[in-house]
């Protein structure tokens, strides 16, 4: 995220790092990614670490009731789900050298620790490399590299901790509630009423695309271990190698969950089929593309219905929401 978290006391970070045996002598906020907050920590020994403070959403209608220094009640479920994802990444990294996994702490090997009522901290080795952006258009050579990584990932036996990733959009119920409530004011913040009017204007399109999604749902075949978001923003170029970062979305699903973000040509799909013996399904690729856009709309709408301010991240989310809705109206996909 571009903005520092207003509800997280950054002075909590240095003491929390002691669980990993890190005596932080420097902390720098890293305005990267979307959804979580990051810092680069420098230890007393000069080694650098990449920190992620994951935002843990509360369950609907659940008021947080944090213990001192602990998580709110509604965030406990999200904490457990994220912990399983990070455990899966750590298990995969034992055999897949392109997986950038979190570092276990020194107190039982935990990969994730509560940081505040709705945040959880994980620590990664700092890898000096170059990432892209979500909208970057990868060249054929780059796509080939990623497809080869995905073929290897998809052929790996799933660790016991691997979460299941259902086909239904995670934010569907919240989106449908929002569509049903566009007739009364939204009061979350400066973008709330604008978001309500925008959603009302696109309501017919959204209902139609949800029906399209339902018509496309069927048995898509046996699941494999998928990354979930292997777009250029989650690819790290390091010493001539391509690494995959940000494994919080890892889970069991069909290969198309990953491939729609990478494959651009029949040659890309043929390369995957040759490596795995499994021919990607064009209808499943289109279904996951639509699913992504619907989830994006749900995420941005939830942001603007909740308390928010006029920040850089809110402005960027507003831009993405408009672009995604325009894309859905035109039969396209997400703007992010």
């Amino acid at each position: 995220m571009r903005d520092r978290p207003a509800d997280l006391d950054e002075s909590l970070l240095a003491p929390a790092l002691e669980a990993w045996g890190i005596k932080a002598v420097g902390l720098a906020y890293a305005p990267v990614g979307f959804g979580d907050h990051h810092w680069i920590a420098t230890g007393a020994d000069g080694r650098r670490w990449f920190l992620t403070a994951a935002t843990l959403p509360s369950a609907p209608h659940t008021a947080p009731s944090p213990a001192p220094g602990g998580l709110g009640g509604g965030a406990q479920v999200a904490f457990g789900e994220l912990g399983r994802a990070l455990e899966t990444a750590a298990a995969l990294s034992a055999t897949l050298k392109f997986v950038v996994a979190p570092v276990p702490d020194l107190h039982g090997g935990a990969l994730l620790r509560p940081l505040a009522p709705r945040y959880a901290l994980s620590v990664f080795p700092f890898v000096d490399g170059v990432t892209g952006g979500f909208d970057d258009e990868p060249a054929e050579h780059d796509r080939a590299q990623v497809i080869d990584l995905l073929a290897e990932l998809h052929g790996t036996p799933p660790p016991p901790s691997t979460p299941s990733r259902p086909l239904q959009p995670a934010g569907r119920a919240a989106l449908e509630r929002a569509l049903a409530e566009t007739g009364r004011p939204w009061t979350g913040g400066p973008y709330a009423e604008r978001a309500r009017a925008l959603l009302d204007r696109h309501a017919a399109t959204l209902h139609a695309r949800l029906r399209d999604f339902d018509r496309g749902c069927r048995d898509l075949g046996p699941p494999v271990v998928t990354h979930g978001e292997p777009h250029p923003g989650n690819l790290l170029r390091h010493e001539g190698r391509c690494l995959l970062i940000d494994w919080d979305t890892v889970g069991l699903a069909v290969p198309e969950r990953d491939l729609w973000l990478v494959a651009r040509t029949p040659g890309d799909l043929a390369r995957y089929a040759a490596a795995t013996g499994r021919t990607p399904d064009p209808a499943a690729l289109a279904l996951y593309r639509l699913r992504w856009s619907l989830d994006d709309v749900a995420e941005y709408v939830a942001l603007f219905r909740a308390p928010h301010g006029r920040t850089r991240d809110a402005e960027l989310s507003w831009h993405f929401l408009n672009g995604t809705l325009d894309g859905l109206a035109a039969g396209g996909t997400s703007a992010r």
Side-chain angles (χ1 to χ4, degrees):
M1 301 292 279
R2 278 68 173 172
D3 301 310
R4 294 173 181 266
D7 58 345
L8 176 60
D9 182 356
E10 293 186 30
S11 69
L12 296 173
L13 288 168
L17 289 176
E18 294 176 4
W20 281 268
I22 300 170
K23 181 176 177 56
V25 296
L27 281 169
Y29 186 72
V32 297
F34 194 87
D36 295 331
H37 298 274
H38 307 282
W39 290 262
I40 297 172
T42 302
D45 58 359
R47 186 173 180 183
R48 290 188 292 173
W49 305 88
F50 189 78
L51 315 182
T52 294
T55 306
L56 303 175
S58 297
H61 311 301
T62 302
S65 54
L71 295 174
Q76 290 287 352
V77 172
F79 182 86
E81 291 174 351
L82 178 56
R84 287 189 291 276
L86 296 183
E87 184 180 343
T88 300
L92 291 170
S93 69
T95 54
L96 301 177
K97 300 310 178 186
F98 57 82
V99 177
V100 180
V103 178
D105 74 6
L106 303 181
H107 302 282
L111 301 171
L112 188 69
R113 294 179 66 90
L115 185 63
R118 71 182 195 103
Y119 290 96
L121 179 66
S122 52
V123 177
F124 296 80
F126 181 86
V127 181
D128 194 3
V130 178
T131 61
F134 176 85
D135 293 325
D136 290 352
E137 188 58 40
E140 181 179 358
H141 172 73
D142 295 328
R143 296 198 308 271
Q145 277 192 297
V146 179
I147 287 170
D148 290 347
L149 295 186
L150 293 178
E152 189 176 358
L153 172 65
H154 295 171
T156 301
S161 56
T162 310
S164 178
R165 301 298 182 184
L167 179 58
Q168 279 292 332
R172 178 168 186 163
L175 176 59
E176 290 178 331
R177 283 196 302 272
L179 284 166
E181 295 173 357
T182 57
R184 60 191 189 195
W186 294 359
T187 59
Y191 288 91
E193 278 293 273
R194 295 164 67 184
R196 181 185 64 80
L198 183 66
L199 200 67
D200 187 52
R201 190 160 65 248
H202 286 274
T205 291
L206 286 167
H207 285 301
R209 300 315 298 272
L210 285 166
R211 289 193 296 270
D212 290 343
F213 182 87
D214 290 339
R215 281 192 291 268
C217 286
R218 54 185 169 81
D219 182 5
L220 299 178
V224 298
V225 183
T226 60
H227 177 278
E229 297 187 359
H231 55 72
N234 285 334
L235 298 173
L236 182 64
R237 301 285 178 182
H238 172 69
E239 297 180 350
R241 298 169 57 218
C242 183
L243 308 176
L244 267 174
I245 61 175
D246 206 0
W247 288 82
D248 58 309
T249 55
V250 67
L252 292 172
V254 292
E256 288 82 359
R257 179 178 185 242
D258 285 338
L259 291 172
W260 83 265
L261 276 160
V262 180
R264 297 291 188 273
T265 68
D268 294 337
L269 299 177
R271 184 183 185 95
Y272 180 85
T276 63
R278 183 167 176 168
T279 302
D281 178 355
L285 293 169
L287 194 63
Y288 270 99
R289 186 176 293 110
L290 175 57
R291 179 189 187 275
W292 180 283
S293 293
L294 293 171
D295 252 343
D296 266 2
V297 172
E299 179 180 351
Y300 300 134
V301 169
L303 169 67
F304 294 132
R305 298 192 77 192
H308 65 274
R310 194 177 299 278
T311 65
R312 289 176 296 173
D313 286 322
E315 182 179 353
L316 193 60
S317 297
W318 177 249
H319 168 75
F320 286 146
L321 175 59
N322 277 269
T324 302
L325 287 170
D326 288 343
L328 286 170
T333 56
S334 179
R336 182 173 69 89

